[in-house]
Amino acid sequence: MKRKVYLDYAAATPIDPRVRKEMSPYFERYYGNASSIHSFGREVSNVIRNARTDIAAILNADVSEIIFTGSGSESDTLAIMGIARKYKHLGKHIIMSSIEHKAVLQAGHALEREGFQVSYIGVAKNGIVNPKNIREALRKDTILVSVMYANNEIGTIQPIKDISQIVRHARNNGVIPIFHTDACQAPGALPLDVKKLGVDALSLNGSKMYGPKGIGILYLREGIDIEAIIPGGEQERGRRAGTESVALIIGIDRAFRYAEKDRIKESKRLSILRDYFIREIKRKIPGVMLNGHATKRLPNNINLIFEGIEGESLVLMLDQEGIAASTGSACNSFDLKPSHVLTELNIPEDMAHGSLRMTLGRLTTKTDINYVLKKLPGIISRLRELSTITYGKK
Amino acid sequence: MEKNNTKVKKSNDVVCGDGGFWVYSGVVKEHFFKPKNFLKEDEDFAADGIGSCGSYACGDVMMFLIKVNKKTKKISDCRWRTFGCASAIASTSMLSVMVTENGGMEIRKARLIKPQQIVDRLGGLPDRKFHCSVLGHMALRDAVDDFEKKHAS
């Protein structure tokens, strides 16, 4: 059988077998509705309360500050739209970085249609937001600032503590602005103490932390109100309606716990592997460029541009060899536009098509990396051989 | 039984997204992974006409080189290069087969090749790939023009 190497952990992680096992009884035995007052319901609501307490402890938060949602995108949408709509009487200005996940950006666009003003703050060439630019964009009527903890495409880690300080300073003991961070890529890689980070709201997602898909978390600091985007029930203290999925809640709780437990050891292992991988690719293949800051990046993220080739071709060629990666190339997207993150880095258009993202994870070994290192140079030279860019060059 | 066979065949196709909002046919894959007639790096190909089309900004650039039999005005051989996605590479490769098969296509006919003919031979292309990636016929037309300019009698 051909070797299979999965290098798309930033897209989705496999479920931790321990997590799956611990979830399993909650699909069958605990079927009551947590809102019911009979024993079946009480049992479930106890389990959920414990999980919520557990998650709160990892985040250094209070149990009342944890809201379960259906995904990372929902957490982002709830944070952005829910906070903006709740505080619109205090101002209608929002600040977000231009390299946010589409869940945040699109919520911003939707709010613009509702009459809000959104300032999109660009990044430096290394893919990092300059906190000074956030400070300069702040206005008296700024109600919300949203900057992601780590970028999902190029892996760059944003200066969240610096930004939260600036926001707090501007708040001057008032309520606004509120600071939200999309931390979906952070579990298992970066510290997630909300008090140390100084954030007021933080989004997480089960499917990026070796937990189940279909569940997300929004941390929302006590004292901050939010308008539900799914009203219609008292679950999550009226902030998100819908019968709680106890199995998924158990899943995200256990996954988060395991990810946090191994965070330091695993990040170190992956950073070493990442740096070895990047170094070897650069040694073996000419015309390669790393996107995003070399060290202020997620331990598992490698995002490269290969001159003269197009990303979708590259991903398909790698797939043929059993290697799973992704690209920010226009040809690989629904709207046929290149990735907004790469565009924001001011990468020349002819280069932006040749991007390749490989994200490592718990199951990635050095043998996997060496297998890719064996296959990749041949694939690159093959595609360059076909390319018009190399025509006439030798 | 026959239905089952088609299903098996389908699973060899490259399907992306939720069960196939875009799909590459087996023919596209064949021409992508084993492209025909592309200009190799060390190859000395004395072209009678060279044409190109596309832009790097858009992500697809094709280049087409033809040899023409001056008597019959048929394309006797061709080479190409493509920067682009799988369907761009496959469609140029297919075009190169179309103009050289059966003793070669007359340049008059080659000028008139439409994208749909290439797509048909490829067994179809995903809708959204159609307009951006099938540009080979334009590069070919450009090569024919180039030939005619150089060999105007």
Side-chain angles (χ1 to χ4, degrees):
Chain A
M1 221 188 81
K2 197 163 52 180
R3 198 181 175 87
K4 286 265 193 188
V5 177
Y6 182 78
L7 294 180
D8 209 7
Y9 284 84
T13 49
I15 193 159
D16 184 324
R18 295 168 294 183
V19 171
R20 201 196 64 83
K21 218 175 141 206
E22 288 176 67
M23 282 170 71
S24 156
Y26 294 93
F27 284 109
E28 288 172 26
R29 236 181 11 239
Y30 299 85
Y31 54 82
N33 187 320
S35 304
S36 309
I37 58 165
H38 50 61
S39 65
F40 294 82
R42 286 199 311 272
E43 198 171 43
V44 170
S45 96
N46 278 338
V47 167
I48 293 174
R49 188 172 328 111
N50 291 340
R52 205 189 295 273
T53 311
D54 225 36
I55 290 165
I58 302 173
L59 292 170
N60 190 18
D62 190 81
V63 64
S64 63
E65 298 175 318
I66 307 300
I67 303 170
F68 291 118
T69 69
S71 63
S73 293
E74 191 193 322
S75 297
D76 283 340
T77 309
L78 174 58
I80 304 299
M81 303 195 76
I83 290 170
R85 285 173 182 164
K86 194 77 190 181
Y87 289 93
K88 62 172 185 260
H89 60 287
L90 296 177
K92 290 196 125 187
H93 180 239
I94 297 163
I95 298 171
M96 54 180 69
S97 92
S98 58
I99 60 162
E100 290 302 302
H101 188 275
K102 279 192 176 164
V104 170
L105 289 176
Q106 297 287 356
H109 299 335
L111 288 171
E112 282 182 275
R113 292 191 290 274
E114 290 178 20
F116 288 86
Q117 286 180 315
V118 184
S119 303
Y120 301 94
I121 307 301
V123 291
K125 261 194 165 155
N126 61 13
I128 293 175
V129 175
N130 185 345
K132 218 179 83 194
N133 295 338
I134 302 283
R135 180 169 29 217
E136 279 163 12
L138 281 168
R139 307 192 320 210
K140 276 212 162 70
D141 61 339
T142 306
I143 50 170
L144 178 65
V145 177
S146 184
V147 177
M148 68 204 320
Y149 196 175
N151 183 267
N152 50 308
E153 286 185 40
I154 54 172
T156 47
I157 300 164
Q158 305 302 329
I160 296 304
K161 283 185 196 172
D162 296 343
I163 297 169
S164 73
Q165 237 168 25
I166 288 168
V167 173
R168 260 204 312 270
H169 186 76
R171 195 182 297 152
N172 194 20
N173 293 325
V175 188
I176 58 154
I178 293 156
F179 183 34
H180 165 259
T181 189
D182 169 1
C184 287
Q185 296 287 337
L190 304 172
L192 277 163
D193 181 322
V194 291
K195 300 230 163 52
K196 280 191 184 150
L197 288 170
V199 297
D200 304 306
L202 178 142
S203 305
L204 292 169
N205 176 2
S207 66
K208 314 279 195 229
M209 52 165 97
Y210 304 85
K213 294 168 182 69
I215 183 147
I217 293 169
L218 177 66
Y219 156 79
L220 188 68
R221 188 165 62 80
E222 188 65 57
I224 296 172
D225 291 333
I226 203 160
E227 187 180 305
I229 52 171
I230 308 178
E234 283 311 305
Q235 292 91 352
E236 305 304 308
R237 300 162 93 218
R239 296 172 293 186
R240 201 272 191 183
T243 302
E244 300 89 340
S245 167
V246 62
L248 294 181
I249 289 170
I250 289 293
I252 198 168
D253 168 39
R254 303 297 193 270
F256 197 14
R257 221 193 281 175
Y258 290 128
E260 182 56 25
K261 194 171 142 264
D262 293 339
R263 176 168 60 81
I264 292 168
K265 213 175 89 194
E266 180 66 358
S267 320
K268 197 171 169 204
R269 184 185 79 90
L270 289 177
S271 317
I272 292 168
L273 217 47
R274 173 198 69 191
D275 293 342
Y276 164 75
F277 200 8
I278 295 171
R279 199 170 54 239
E280 285 302 297
I281 289 173
K282 283 187 167 170
R283 196 173 64 81
K284 285 174 188 257
I285 305 168
V288 189
M289 195 177 88
L290 179 71
N291 294 315
H293 198 285
T295 53
K296 285 179 188 162
R297 68 189 301 128
L298 289 168
N300 73 333
N301 178 290
I302 293 149
N303 191 310
L304 302 161
I305 281 186
F306 295 90
E307 276 172 38
I309 59 165
E310 188 282 319
E312 189 220 61
S313 300
L314 178 53
V315 166
L316 289 177
M317 287 260 180
L318 287 167
D319 183 48
Q320 188 77 349
E321 299 292 348
I323 302 162
S326 77
T327 175
S329 166
C331 302
N332 195 43
S333 65
F334 295 101
D335 53 7
L336 297 175
K337 284 187 192 141
S339 134
H340 69 280
V341 177
L342 297 178
T343 316
E344 283 296 320
L345 299 182
N346 279 326
I347 290 164
E349 279 174 320
D350 59 334
M351 305 262 294
H353 295 280
S355 83
L356 181 73
R357 181 187 73 176
M358 294 182 286
T359 42
L360 322 180
R362 235 178 248 177
L363 304 176
T364 313
T365 62
K366 192 157 183 181
T367 317
D368 289 334
I369 302 300
N370 285 334
Y371 173 75
V372 180
L373 286 169
K374 213 173 79 192
K375 296 290 177 187
L376 191 60
I379 291 172
I380 298 292
S381 54
R382 171 65 162 174
L383 286 169
R384 281 184 176 157
E385 200 181 17
L386 294 174
S387 172
T388 47
I389 289 185
T390 47
Y391 174 77
K393 285 187 203 168
K394 267 232 34 207
Chain B
M1 271 307 278
E2 266 193 38
K3 258 191 175 167
N4 274 342
N5 281 341
T6 11
K7 257 195 175 161
V8 171
K9 232 176 137 192
K10 272 251 161 170
S11 71
N12 289 328
D13 295 347
V14 175
V15 182
C16 272
D18 191 12
F21 46 83
W22 64 272
V23 174
Y24 283 146
S25 70
V27 186
V28 174
K29 278 184 69 180
E30 166 72 17
H31 278 269
F32 171 60
F33 289 117
K34 292 177 194 145
K36 324 279 183 259
N37 306 314
F38 71 93
L39 184 73
K40 297 200 177 64
E41 207 172 311
D42 301 320
E43 197 172 356
D44 198 12
F45 188 83
D48 297 316
I50 300 177
S52 66
C53 176
S55 90
Y56 291 111
C58 296
D60 289 293
V61 182
M62 277 83 166
M63 174 175 260
F64 220 87
L65 299 84
I66 51 171
K67 276 187 191 173
V68 181
N69 182 316
K70 316 289 178 304
K71 272 190 200 139
T72 61
K73 298 277 168 150
K74 282 181 177 176
I75 295 172
S76 58
D77 204 357
C78 75
R79 292 290 182 271
W80 57 270
R81 285 282 184 98
T82 288
F83 165 80
C85 62
S87 56
I89 288 170
S91 66
T92 328
S93 172
M94 179 52 90
L95 178 64
S96 76
V97 170
M98 288 165 72
V99 298
T100 50
E101 67 193 355
N102 308 322
M105 191 179 275
E106 274 182 56
I107 51 168
R108 188 177 49 87
K109 270 189 169 172
R111 281 196 100 263
L112 301 174
I113 288 182
K114 301 247 174 350
Q116 190 60 53
Q117 292 167 263
I118 306 171
V119 174
D120 288 346
R121 285 288 296 270
L122 286 171
L125 269 184
D127 280 350
R128 66 200 189 92
K129 289 280 181 180
F130 192 104
H131 295 287
C132 58
S133 66
V134 187
L135 296 169
H137 66 292
M138 307 270 284
L140 171 64
R141 206 175 290 171
D142 198 32
V144 172
D145 288 349
D146 183 51
F147 164 78
E148 287 181 332
K149 220 187 301 162
K150 283 180 186 157
H151 299 84
S153 45

